[in-house]
Amino acid sequence: MSWLSSIGLMSGTSYDGVDVALINTDGEEIGRIGPTLYRPYSEEERVLLRHAMASAANLGDRAERPGPLADAEALVTRSHAEAVEAFLAANGMAASDIAVVGFHGQTVLHDPGRHLTVQLGRGDALAGRLGIPVVYDFRAADVAAGGQGAPFVPVFHRAMVRLLGQPGPLAVLNIGGVANLTYIDGEDELIACDIGPGNALIDDFLRLRTGSSHDSDGRAAAAGRVDEDAVESILAHPFFAKPPPKSLDRNAFHRWIAADAKMAGKSLQDGAATLTALTAAAIARSIRLLPRAPKSFIVAGGGIRNPVLMRMLMQRVAPASVKTADAVGWSADSLEAQGFAYLAVRSLNGLPLSFPSTTGVPRPMTGGVVARP
Ligand SMILES: Nc1ncnc2c1ncn2[C@@H]1O[C@H](COP(=O)(O)OP(=O)(O)O)[C@@H](O)[C@H]1O
Ligand SMILES: [Mg+2]
């Protein structure tokens, strides 16, 4: 199969912004890893995306766009187009230099129990504006076939880990809005699942208490005291004991936390410390669900910028080592976007994107829809 230059676009459940990444791949091996770009959402754009997410909870069909969802979808398509245009300009590239774009879109609802996962973003419109073929709707076929529809980048993680040549078992951990883990032990053992909250709980708590979008550098958490009883009682939720594969809607946490009386009435600092500890503890708890304890964790996603979270994680997963993706020569910020660049080429080549051991789908599944300009 031929090597293609592929751009991956990711906007995760933190709805902080759009990540753009370029890689060269044949859908199996990874060749050159190219530059990246981040296009943050403005505060106004985040408000619209939050409204869209709230109103998506009652969707019954993945094609419906009632209320703010239509405007939000136009925003998602436009912001991703702008991000690619800025990326090409910044790197002196033309559309003709790019073979394909992998467009994840913005998840506003993820409910595999109802065989429903909804990503906003019009692949056809993006292909038309950019003049580049676009692969989108990556998760739909998996969920329709009874899979969890997430996580989707494990097969990419395995290709990246192959290049490292480190002894297994090891885990690639992505701490975005939701935290997810890929367990790799040689070529044959690929297990993945969503683990629990990533930054979403901390972000939402900070927004509620202070109006800021996140606990910048973990400053609030650093000044607080962890309520271990609250952490334990939230971790008693059956989700945390369920073996992989499993996935989560980012808003699932709210119901669990709201149901926990111990979180009520905490100070900003103690609440942030406790939710940060919960995030780390949920990750550590997931080790029990794996065949063997990973020797090392390679951590990506915005969570690596929270030093309190990283410290708590190191303490709770010891003796396993914790390294950031950047420390092993990858990009913590762009790993997911690179993953969707890889998946776009796999989709074009008819290679499976998800597997029984990663999403619980009955058989390895191809997926993605191709829009040509
Ligand atoms: N300096 C920082 N301090 C603490 N948290 C941070 C910092 N920078 C980013 N983050 C966290 O990372 C999140 C974005 O991570 P990202 O990997 O983009 O998630 P997603 O894939 O859900 O979009 C932010 O919402 C925030 O919680
Ligand atoms: Mg993000």
Side-chain angles (χ1 to χ4, degrees), residues 10-19 38 176-177 302 333:
M10 184 65 199
S11 175
T13 52
S14 302
Y15 35 84
D16 56 302
V18 180
D19 291 297
Y38 177 60
D333 287 333

Side-chain angles (χ1 to χ4, degrees), residues 10-16 19 174-178 199 203 213-218 301-303 305-306 336:
M10 184 65 199
S11 175
T13 52
S14 302
Y15 35 84
D16 56 302
D19 291 297
N174 184 61
I175 311 180
V178 174
N199 304 296
D203 286 0
S213 62
H214 61 278
D215 182 12
S216 190
D217 303 334
R305 295 185 192 279
N306 183 332
E336 289 263 302

Side-chain angles (χ1 to χ4, degrees), residues 90-163:
N91 294 291
M93 290 177 175
S96 57
D97 295 325
I98 307 298
V100 64
V101 170
F103 179 25
H104 175 271
Q106 178 67 51
T107 297
V108 288
L109 174 67
H110 184 69
D111 189 354
R114 288 198 288 146
H115 292 216
L116 198 57
T117 184
V118 181
Q119 283 76 40
L120 299 183
R122 298 251 327 259
D124 53 347
L126 187 65
R129 172 158 164 181
L130 296 175
I132 306 171
V134 170
V135 180
Y136 66 106
D137 270 354
F138 287 91
R139 302 183 194 268
D142 181 278
V143 165
Q148 290 290 313
F152 244 60
V153 288
V155 67
F156 168 70
H157 290 159
R158 182 170 61 188
M160 290 292 282
V161 164
R162 212 179 277 147
L163 297 174

Side-chain angles (χ1 to χ4, degrees), residues 2-259:
S2 58
W3 289 83
L4 299 178
S5 286
S6 179
I7 286 180
L9 301 174
M10 184 65 199
S11 175
T13 52
S14 302
Y15 35 84
D16 56 302
V18 180
D19 291 297
V20 186
L22 174 67
I23 69 165
N24 208 263
T25 178
D26 61 357
E28 298 275 12
E29 305 305 320
I30 295 160
R32 204 177 83 83
I33 293 191
T36 64
L37 181 133
Y38 177 60
R39 187 262 190 218
Y41 291 128
S42 67
E43 192 45 45
E44 200 182 323
E45 290 171 341
R46 288 175 200 196
V47 168
L48 175 56
L49 292 174
R50 272 204 293 283
H51 284 156
M53 205 166 293
S55 71
N58 301 319
L59 284 181
D61 181 319
R62 68 188 310 277
E64 286 172 13
R65 297 290 183 264
L69 287 162
D71 281 350
E73 180 154 65
L75 157 67
V76 169
T77 310
R78 178 170 21 89
S79 57
H80 283 68
E82 288 168 7
V84 175
E85 287 161 359
F87 175 88
L88 294 175
N91 294 291
M93 290 177 175
S96 57
D97 295 325
I98 307 298
V100 64
V101 170
F103 179 25
H104 175 271
Q106 178 67 51
T107 297
V108 288
L109 174 67
H110 184 69
D111 189 354
R114 288 198 288 146
H115 292 216
L116 198 57
T117 184
V118 181
Q119 283 76 40
L120 299 183
R122 298 251 327 259
D124 53 347
L126 187 65
R129 172 158 164 181
L130 296 175
I132 306 171
V134 170
V135 180
Y136 66 106
D137 270 354
F138 287 91
R139 302 183 194 268
D142 181 278
V143 165
Q148 290 290 313
F152 244 60
V153 288
V155 67
F156 168 70
H157 290 159
R158 182 170 61 188
M160 290 292 282
V161 164
R162 212 179 277 147
L163 297 174
L164 288 181
Q166 275 189 16
L170 59 82
V172 181
L173 179 66
N174 184 61
I175 311 180
V178 174
N180 57 64
L181 178 141
T182 304
Y183 172 88
I184 298 165
D185 194 3
E187 275 304 301
D188 299 325
E189 190 90 271
L190 182 67
I191 296 174
C193 63
D194 282 349
I195 288 170
N199 304 296
L201 278 182
I202 308 168
D203 286 0
D204 291 352
F205 183 73
L206 265 283
R207 184 175 304 108
L208 192 72
R209 294 292 182 95
T210 69
S212 42
S213 62
H214 61 278
D215 182 12
S216 190
D217 303 334
R219 275 196 285 271
R225 204 177 52 84
V226 175
D227 179 344
E228 292 289 349
D229 290 345
V231 170
E232 275 309 307
S233 84
I234 295 166
L235 285 182
H237 188 285
F239 177 84
F240 296 107
K242 213 171 130 196
K246 55 181 175 178
S247 73
L248 269 177
D249 187 277
R250 110 183 273 282
N251 289 331
F253 316 129
H254 292 274
R255 291 192 290 277
W256 307 350
I257 303 306

